[in-house]
Amino acid sequence: MNILGSLQQLGRAFMLPMIVLPAAAIFSSLSQLPWDYIGLPQLTLYLQAASHAIFTYLPYLFAVGIALGMTGNALAAALSALGGMFIYVGITQTAVPEIEPTVFIGTLMGIISGFSYERFKNLRLPEYIQFFGGPRFVPLFVSFISVLFSIFMIGLTPYIERMLEELGNIVASGGGFGVFLYGFVHRILVVFGLHHLVSHVFWFQIGGYTMADGATVYGDLPRFFAGDPTAGVFMAGMYPTMMFALPAIALAIIHEAREDLKPKIRKTFMYAALASFLTGVTEPVEFAFLFVAPYLFVVHALLSGVIMWVTYELGIRHGFSFSGGAIDFIVNEHLATRGWLLIPIGIVVGLIYYFLFRWAIDRFQIPTPGREEGSHLDEWAGDIPQRAPLILQAIGGKDNIVKMESCITRLRLKVANEKQLDIAALRNLGAAGVIRLGGGNVQVVFGTYSELIRGEILNTIQRDQEQVLFSSPMQGKMIALSEVPDPIFSGKLVGDGVAFIPDKGELVSPVKGEVIHIYPTMHAIGIRTPEGLEVLLHIGIDTSLLGGKGYFKAAVKEGDKVLPGDLLIRFNLQQVRKESKSLATPMVITNSDLVRSWRFAPYKTVKKGQSSVMSVVLKEIQVGGERP
């Protein structure tokens, strides 16, 4: 079993039950409004009760949420976890004194249910009792495990409670350095998507607080919302980083971009900065420099820890239900201690980050987005349905996907063969980064659109339409067909498609098919795909006049079978550039009447053989008809 792969799945599962926490924070904040002035005095009590209910039943939410997250939303696992919690509460309430369910117990029950589902979902029993086989066996199995687990916990719980309280005291004794260490480790684990694991311990386990009604809550987050004045240590310091530091980095990237690319980069990173400031979603900015300057990310992680240390020493206590953005800051300010200090601290932090990153980008010539033509971040939310099939191809197709899930900012995959991943194509299609965790476990960072992308990929797979996927036939830049300086191609009189400006003298096959025609001058070639599409590749404009000069050399002959990436033609790039009207190389489908819809990747730099530059969906075959 791959450890990092299992941990990333568990980390994602932790996020699912936390989605409901912002509602609790909002209800708590709204309850502070003077509702009695508008004749609704009871609304204060209702809102407080709603907020309190969410935290009361948080163990059940974690049990169900983690079970769903670990199994790809398997209802049998969720039902097992919920049933297990009912059994646990029923048995432990017979103890003296009664034992209250905690998030820790909900987490364990969710993990037990998730692993049980994965272990027994395909279980086969003798035919006469097969009704209880497969997924139906899981609730039964978990119920028996829950009984044993509950009895065991009656004896163990008092020791665990004392251990958690002691752990909280130990962490507290570490003072500012302990908070710094947490902030540093948390930031580093963001890279692997495992930060939820360490956060879960500090936010929901460490430290206890007894409320007025005698109930005890554990963890920095529940204690903060329960009114514990000492809580918020492990959350307050994240506000300056998320509200000010990350937007400052985005601003530095914008100002260091090339003048011709600044308008596009400004739009992209202003959205990313706004997302970080308002909601605390930081990955779109962090992944813009993580892969090109990992040492700078380590500096960022160290500074994040220092910021948390400073807020601790100043006695600032603040919390959040989702993340350290402005929305949570405002909603939860009424519960904070000296929370207003986070604003001037944040302004200073923002200035430090802005000048530090501008200096580093310029001094070390870091290729952040906008400093080179091939910058991979792009603003493309409205284009998700168009790109989903291309992303699917870059992943290796539906047969390469073993499991596909998503969290707030990432597509989390388990693939059959990592070698089928086209990293360059994924970045070209909008991925901020691709992280390999081993064992086929891969994370593709698409920002907050990850869930939408997953949905569109699933729709693409379910539609099961007949598609033809095209790879790049050369290294260079992909351009729209309308930009080709020839009215025959730009007017789509020959057919529809795309074009390329090569920076290397090689043309390779973009599809699987058969070579059906090679022009005598060898400047153009035709390929027929198994689906009947006829693809014309034409190197340069007015290059038919260059025949007899030896500038083009075919590596195949008519009738040859070719695969994507197979060499077709070598050509003298410098001479063709010098003696032709343009190097623009159209790739068009000459029998475009067979195509129902087209999808194109962004028009930017591509590599030879890079997958996912164009995809077409074919028209359905008419009854009695036949495709040519």
Side-chain angles (χ1 to χ4, degrees), residues 172-192:
S173 67
F177 180 75
V179 178
F180 158 80
L181 197 59
Y182 165 76
F184 172 73
V185 172
H186 179 276
R187 209 80 243 134
I188 290 294
L189 289 179
V190 166
V191 176
F192 306 100

mmCIF file of all heavy atoms in Angstrom, residues 172-192:
data_model
loop_
_atom_site.group_PDB
_atom_site.id
_atom_site.type_symbol
_atom_site.label_atom_id
_atom_site.label_comp_id
_atom_site.label_asym_id
_atom_site.label_seq_id
_atom_site.Cartn_x
_atom_site.Cartn_y
_atom_site.Cartn_z
ATOM 1 N N ALA A 172 1.137 23.785 24.578
ATOM 2 C CA ALA A 172 1.090 25.142 25.131
ATOM 3 C C ALA A 172 2.410 25.518 25.781
ATOM 4 O O ALA A 172 2.851 26.671 25.725
ATOM 5 C CB ALA A 172 -0.048 25.249 26.140
ATOM 6 N N SER A 173 3.067 24.525 26.400
ATOM 7 C CA SER A 173 4.351 24.807 27.054
ATOM 8 C C SER A 173 5.436 25.150 26.043
ATOM 9 O O SER A 173 6.444 25.757 26.379
ATOM 10 C CB SER A 173 4.787 23.609 27.900
ATOM 11 O OG SER A 173 5.109 22.487 27.068
ATOM 12 N N GLY A 174 5.224 24.748 24.784
ATOM 13 C CA GLY A 174 6.182 25.085 23.733
ATOM 14 C C GLY A 174 6.135 26.554 23.375
ATOM 15 O O GLY A 174 7.036 27.062 22.698
ATOM 16 N N GLY A 175 5.066 27.222 23.801
ATOM 17 C CA GLY A 175 4.946 28.654 23.568
ATOM 18 C C GLY A 175 4.976 29.013 22.096
ATOM 19 O O GLY A 175 4.470 28.289 21.233
ATOM 20 N N GLY A 176 5.599 30.147 21.800
ATOM 21 C CA GLY A 176 5.620 30.658 20.435
ATOM 22 C C GLY A 176 6.334 29.737 19.469
ATOM 23 O O GLY A 176 5.944 29.637 18.300
ATOM 24 N N PHE A 177 7.374 29.031 19.949
ATOM 25 C CA PHE A 177 8.102 28.148 19.038
ATOM 26 C C PHE A 177 7.215 27.001 18.559
ATOM 27 O O PHE A 177 7.288 26.591 17.396
ATOM 28 C CB PHE A 177 9.344 27.581 19.717
ATOM 29 C CG PHE A 177 10.143 26.667 18.831
ATOM 30 C CD1 PHE A 177 10.927 27.184 17.814
ATOM 31 C CD2 PHE A 177 10.080 25.283 18.993
ATOM 32 C CE1 PHE A 177 11.649 26.338 16.974
ATOM 33 C CE2 PHE A 177 10.784 24.444 18.156
ATOM 34 C CZ PHE A 177 11.578 24.971 17.148
ATOM 35 N N GLY A 178 6.377 26.469 19.447
ATOM 36 C CA GLY A 178 5.457 25.407 19.052
ATOM 37 C C GLY A 178 4.483 25.878 17.984
ATOM 38 O O GLY A 178 4.190 25.160 17.027
ATOM 39 N N VAL A 179 3.995 27.107 18.141
ATOM 40 C CA VAL A 179 3.078 27.681 17.147
ATOM 41 C C VAL A 179 3.814 27.911 15.830
ATOM 42 O O VAL A 179 3.285 27.663 14.742
ATOM 43 C CB VAL A 179 2.471 28.994 17.676
ATOM 44 C CG1 VAL A 179 1.553 29.621 16.631
ATOM 45 C CG2 VAL A 179 1.700 28.737 18.966
ATOM 46 N N PHE A 180 5.064 28.401 15.908
ATOM 47 C CA PHE A 180 5.879 28.592 14.705
ATOM 48 C C PHE A 180 6.065 27.278 13.956
ATOM 49 O O PHE A 180 5.923 27.205 12.732
ATOM 50 C CB PHE A 180 7.244 29.162 15.089
ATOM 51 C CG PHE A 180 8.316 28.926 14.060
ATOM 52 C CD1 PHE A 180 8.402 29.723 12.932
ATOM 53 C CD2 PHE A 180 9.233 27.892 14.219
ATOM 54 C CE1 PHE A 180 9.382 29.498 11.974
ATOM 55 C CE2 PHE A 180 10.220 27.658 13.272
ATOM 56 C CZ PHE A 180 10.298 28.469 12.145
ATOM 57 N N LEU A 181 6.397 26.224 14.711
ATOM 58 C CA LEU A 181 6.639 24.914 14.095
ATOM 59 C C LEU A 181 5.384 24.411 13.402
ATOM 60 O O LEU A 181 5.446 23.867 12.288
ATOM 61 C CB LEU A 181 7.091 23.922 15.165
ATOM 62 C CG LEU A 181 7.761 22.637 14.668
ATOM 63 C CD1 LEU A 181 8.997 22.961 13.854
ATOM 64 C CD2 LEU A 181 8.097 21.739 15.840
ATOM 65 N N TYR A 182 4.230 24.600 14.054
ATOM 66 C CA TYR A 182 2.971 24.190 13.432
ATOM 67 C C TYR A 182 2.743 24.961 12.130
ATOM 68 O O TYR A 182 2.390 24.372 11.098
ATOM 69 C CB TYR A 182 1.809 24.433 14.387
ATOM 70 C CG TYR A 182 0.462 24.372 13.696
ATOM 71 C CD1 TYR A 182 -0.101 23.160 13.344
ATOM 72 C CD2 TYR A 182 -0.218 25.543 13.369
ATOM 73 C CE1 TYR A 182 -1.318 23.092 12.685
ATOM 74 C CE2 TYR A 182 -1.430 25.492 12.717
ATOM 75 C CZ TYR A 182 -1.988 24.272 12.369
ATOM 76 O OH TYR A 182 -3.187 24.231 11.707
ATOM 77 N N GLY A 183 2.952 26.280 12.156
ATOM 78 C CA GLY A 183 2.730 27.089 10.961
ATOM 79 C C GLY A 183 3.631 26.689 9.818
ATOM 80 O O GLY A 183 3.205 26.626 8.661
ATOM 81 N N PHE A 184 4.905 26.381 10.126
ATOM 82 C CA PHE A 184 5.855 25.974 9.096
ATOM 83 C C PHE A 184 5.473 24.631 8.491
ATOM 84 O O PHE A 184 5.413 24.480 7.262
ATOM 85 C CB PHE A 184 7.267 25.909 9.701
ATOM 86 C CG PHE A 184 8.296 25.319 8.780
ATOM 87 C CD1 PHE A 184 8.768 26.023 7.692
ATOM 88 C CD2 PHE A 184 8.783 24.026 8.992
ATOM 89 C CE1 PHE A 184 9.706 25.474 6.835
ATOM 90 C CE2 PHE A 184 9.722 23.467 8.148
ATOM 91 C CZ PHE A 184 10.179 24.196 7.069
ATOM 92 N N VAL A 185 5.197 23.637 9.331
ATOM 93 C CA VAL A 185 4.841 22.298 8.852
ATOM 94 C C VAL A 185 3.543 22.333 8.064
ATOM 95 O O VAL A 185 3.408 21.695 7.006
ATOM 96 C CB VAL A 185 4.726 21.316 10.045
ATOM 97 C CG1 VAL A 185 4.170 19.977 9.577
ATOM 98 C CG2 VAL A 185 6.085 21.131 10.695
ATOM 99 N N HIS A 186 2.578 23.089 8.550
ATOM 100 C CA HIS A 186 1.290 23.204 7.853
ATOM 101 C C HIS A 186 1.486 23.720 6.436
ATOM 102 O O HIS A 186 0.908 23.201 5.480
ATOM 103 C CB HIS A 186 0.367 24.141 8.639
ATOM 104 C CG HIS A 186 -0.979 24.346 8.012
ATOM 105 N ND1 HIS A 186 -1.209 25.277 7.017
ATOM 106 C CD2 HIS A 186 -2.174 23.724 8.234
ATOM 107 C CE1 HIS A 186 -2.475 25.226 6.655
ATOM 108 N NE2 HIS A 186 -3.082 24.295 7.370
ATOM 109 N N ARG A 187 2.325 24.750 6.272
ATOM 110 C CA ARG A 187 2.541 25.337 4.948
ATOM 111 C C ARG A 187 3.258 24.353 4.025
ATOM 112 O O ARG A 187 2.948 24.244 2.853
ATOM 113 C CB ARG A 187 3.377 26.597 5.092
ATOM 114 C CG ARG A 187 3.109 27.620 4.042
ATOM 115 C CD ARG A 187 1.858 28.430 4.331
ATOM 116 N NE ARG A 187 0.833 28.264 3.326
ATOM 117 C CZ ARG A 187 -0.435 28.046 3.612
ATOM 118 N NH1 ARG A 187 -0.833 27.919 4.850
ATOM 119 N NH2 ARG A 187 -1.326 27.933 2.660
ATOM 120 N N ILE A 188 4.260 23.636 4.555
ATOM 121 C CA ILE A 188 4.999 22.673 3.741
ATOM 122 C C ILE A 188 4.076 21.562 3.265
ATOM 123 O O ILE A 188 4.144 21.120 2.109
ATOM 124 C CB ILE A 188 6.184 22.072 4.536
ATOM 125 C CG1 ILE A 188 7.271 23.138 4.760
ATOM 126 C CG2 ILE A 188 6.759 20.863 3.823
ATOM 127 C CD1 ILE A 188 7.961 23.604 3.499
ATOM 128 N N LEU A 189 3.191 21.081 4.141
ATOM 129 C CA LEU A 189 2.298 19.973 3.782
ATOM 130 C C LEU A 189 1.248 20.368 2.757
ATOM 131 O O LEU A 189 0.624 19.501 2.144
ATOM 132 C CB LEU A 189 1.615 19.419 5.039
ATOM 133 C CG LEU A 189 2.531 18.642 5.996
ATOM 134 C CD1 LEU A 189 1.747 18.170 7.206
ATOM 135 C CD2 LEU A 189 3.170 17.453 5.297
ATOM 136 N N VAL A 190 1.051 21.686 2.546
ATOM 137 C CA VAL A 190 0.132 22.138 1.502
ATOM 138 C C VAL A 190 0.572 21.594 0.147
ATOM 139 O O VAL A 190 -0.252 21.260 -0.712
ATOM 140 C CB VAL A 190 0.067 23.688 1.473
ATOM 141 C CG1 VAL A 190 -0.591 24.190 0.192
ATOM 142 C CG2 VAL A 190 -0.707 24.199 2.683
ATOM 143 N N VAL A 191 1.883 21.490 -0.038
ATOM 144 C CA VAL A 191 2.427 20.993 -1.309
ATOM 145 C C VAL A 191 1.861 19.618 -1.645
ATOM 146 O O VAL A 191 1.516 19.333 -2.798
ATOM 147 C CB VAL A 191 3.969 20.922 -1.233
ATOM 148 C CG1 VAL A 191 4.538 20.327 -2.510
ATOM 149 C CG2 VAL A 191 4.548 22.300 -0.967
ATOM 150 N N PHE A 192 1.725 18.753 -0.649
ATOM 151 C CA PHE A 192 1.281 17.387 -0.873
ATOM 152 C C PHE A 192 -0.209 17.197 -0.600
ATOM 153 O O PHE A 192 -0.721 16.090 -0.703
ATOM 154 C CB PHE A 192 2.080 16.431 0.021
ATOM 155 C CG PHE A 192 3.564 16.562 -0.130
ATOM 156 C CD1 PHE A 192 4.319 17.283 0.777
ATOM 157 C CD2 PHE A 192 4.203 15.982 -1.212
ATOM 158 C CE1 PHE A 192 5.684 17.415 0.634
ATOM 159 C CE2 PHE A 192 5.567 16.105 -1.371
ATOM 160 C CZ PHE A 192 6.321 16.824 -0.457
#
